Amino acid sequence: MQSRTLSPTDIFSHHTRYVVPLFQRPYVWNRDEQWEPLWEDVRVVAERLLDPGNGGFPPSPHFLGAVVLDQQSTPSGYIAVRRVIDGQQRLTTLQLLLDAVRRVVQQHGEPMDEQALKILVRNESQIARHPSEVFKVWPTDRDQAGFQAVMGEETDHGQTASPLVHAHGFFVGTITEWALAGGEDNPLDTPARRLGALVHTVRDHLRLVVIDLEPGDNAQVIFETLNHRGSPLLAADLIKNLLFQVAEGQGADIDLLYREYWAPMDYDYWRQKVSQGRRLRPRIDMFFQAWLTMRLRQEIAQDRIFLEFRDLLRRERAVVAELMAEIAADARVYRDMTEMPQHTVEGTFHYRVVKALDTAVVAPLQLWLMGWNESRMPEEQRHLALRALESWLVRRSLCRATVKDINRLVVELLKAVHEAGPEQAGEAVRRHLEDQRADSRYWIDDEQLRTVLDTAPLYKSLTRPRLRMLLEALEDSLRGPMGEGQQCPRQLTVEHVMPQEWGEHWGDGVVGDPEAEQRREEHIHVLGNLTLVNGKLNPAMSNRPWRDATAVARGLPGTGKRALLLEHSTLKLNARLAVGNEKEWTESDIDQRTEHLVDHIVRIWPRTGPSARSAVITVQAEAGDTEEERPQSEPLGNVYQGKYQSLWSWLRNQVQDQVPMSFSEVAEIAGMPLPESAYNHAAHWYAYEGSALGRAIRDAGWRATEVDLLAETVCFARSDPED
């Protein structure tokens, strides 16, 4: 058995086929667990190649794992064949990635880069004796059609169910988006330059350990040994081993170092697996990833924790005793971050951001901010930083805005606070967040937040932990300033005030009237109709009518929902709505309560600094022009004050008489999600008096035609002035 570390160029540049035996399992890798992490690792290496601050030094290669191959007997003149004993998922994915990069380079890169990749994904057809022999990797029979569909010269879209097709499509889309994302601040950051670095990365800066079996090696025994025996080492285990090896070479007292610094991290608490997004990871590896990100102020991939630590130790030539003391102190801070009292700013941040929003990626900045004592970092600066970041994240979460760029933003914030120093850390975080203008970075302003929350079906659009956290924060706000009152109990149940099944006891005057039914459905899941109750009260409330008298008249035992809220709930959220609405709970009451609660949200999570986007909207350019921004203060006709002002203004500026659009394009122009009824009832687009969307279209001088709910398309036609 021979083992070598090879790059994709080493593996695929020769005329060789890597054939997966028919008895092996089909392709099972997926986006969350493999494709997306792989892309993030590759992207980090490519961006280090692009970074002029690296001083021309190449980044460390990224290790992809191991494959085991068995050489097959091949007659002279035939393409060499190797059977894949282990690592077929890895090899197949690598081919999909290489080909996806090639296809994006075809569109946006240099021809020589495209040719350099083609050599790695296809054997020359002149020497292939069968059509399948042009492929470097040939998967098991179940995956062959899907593989051919995306890797062939003419892609076949009839294999839409194949995970290989999904993988290839994911890589093409993600790489295209990344390639075209540069140039905003640096005109030299072109797609071709980005793709050139990416080609260099996937060809030469990835590594696989290739194990070639020799005659007599038992392939099955080797496969079982690699996959079923032993317990994998954590990155922290490798770090520990390295530290004590170096410490011993430095003449340190190993036993003393262990007792003082490592022993507190050497028990079950640190090896427990905790959730990070959809994955479970050992807590100690998450700590070292956060610590290295904080220390180096750069993204650290999960599978590069040990390599980055080893490079740091070699580069700084640190005294191990001093470095271990630093690590031990920061580990205590990391643990304290999860145990701060929830009435404190630090505890509230951890509960809302890390737990409810599931955004553990902020840990490196949190660790940096929590690691300074009061003599270096004033408490108000730490609080300012945490509150600003919490506001940025919560506002984007409530508006369903992407936070996919949060990893790089955290690194930028670390650089900003490092430059400003602990004395001005809060101001540095606030300024950096205020300065963001990209769609993926913008700090949502009050106007946009209000516009979305006025009608957003939060019960459906937010995960239950996020929605519960929002209502808890509102309850805390109603009880008084932080620290002055008892906090809202945790883990209560989210309840609809007007029930989801409203037809039985809430339908008088509504059932049978399509417009009234539609309007009611639009109000059921919005903020103003949601509250918190304890778990025992929730089943009792169920679909009960609002008033006691209605419950009695309908033969229901007990009281109405209002009385139950007053009797059993100590929350101010419930007391206010019950006391203020004695006789009924209507759509108008929901609107008023929504507006009141949104006022509190704006105060709980303020956005400081100028609202850079509230004064402009994006409008479609005329033929031959580029997109431009026009002030909302310059409409072409009478003033419209409804919530669909952006859509109204956009329609007023159109020059053509008909504009076909998808529902998603309409929502993008409107700057908010469309109500659910717009996707379920064509009348929502036409019923001008019962629909805010319909009124905006009409008042702009247009009408909706050809509404197709299945295709989610609509055509806007300019209205006749006499209509």
Side-chain angles (χ1 to χ4, degrees), residues 637-648:
N638 59 306
V639 177
Y640 168 83
Q641 296 297 334
K643 65 181 180 180
Y644 288 103
Q645 186 172 12
S646 295
L647 176 61
W648 177 87

Side-chain angles (χ1 to χ4, degrees), residues 144-215:
Q144 289 168 5
F147 192 75
Q148 283 182 294
V150 292
M151 298 293 290
E153 288 297 338
E154 297 183 3
T155 55
D156 175 11
H157 298 290
Q159 296 292 323
T160 54
S162 169
L164 289 91
V165 174
H166 294 166
H168 192 272
F170 165 77
F171 286 130
V172 169
T174 304
I175 293 165
T176 301
E177 181 181 359
W178 175 81
L180 302 180
E184 290 184 4
D185 301 319
N186 181 6
L188 298 179
D189 190 13
T190 62
R193 181 172 179 268
R194 284 189 158 223
L195 289 170
L198 183 59
V199 170
H200 194 17
T201 297
V202 297
R203 279 177 51 86
D204 303 316
H205 288 281
L206 304 180
R207 293 290 187 274
L208 284 145
V209 172
V210 178
I211 301 172
D212 284 307
L213 303 187
E214 297 178 327

Side-chain angles (χ1 to χ4, degrees), residues 79 128 179 215 223 252 345 430 513 594:
I79 296 175
F223 178 81
V345 173
R430 178 184 58 79
D513 183 340
T594 297

Side-chain angles (χ1 to χ4, degrees), residues 120 236 374 388 482 528 560 563 597:
L120 303 186
E374 183 71 17
M482 184 180 294
L597 294 180

Side-chain angles (χ1 to χ4, degrees), residues 637-679:
N638 59 306
V639 177
Y640 168 83
Q641 296 297 334
K643 65 181 180 180
Y644 288 103
Q645 186 172 12
S646 295
L647 176 61
W648 177 87
S649 298
W650 184 86
L651 286 170
R652 297 285 292 184
N653 281 278
Q654 299 311 298
V655 295
Q656 57 268 54
D657 292 328
Q658 289 191 333
V659 184
M661 303 185 72
S662 67
F663 287 4
S664 61
E665 290 171 334
V666 177
E668 183 177 354
I669 290 169
M672 70 180 79
L674 298 179
E676 185 177 355
S677 55
Y679 293 87

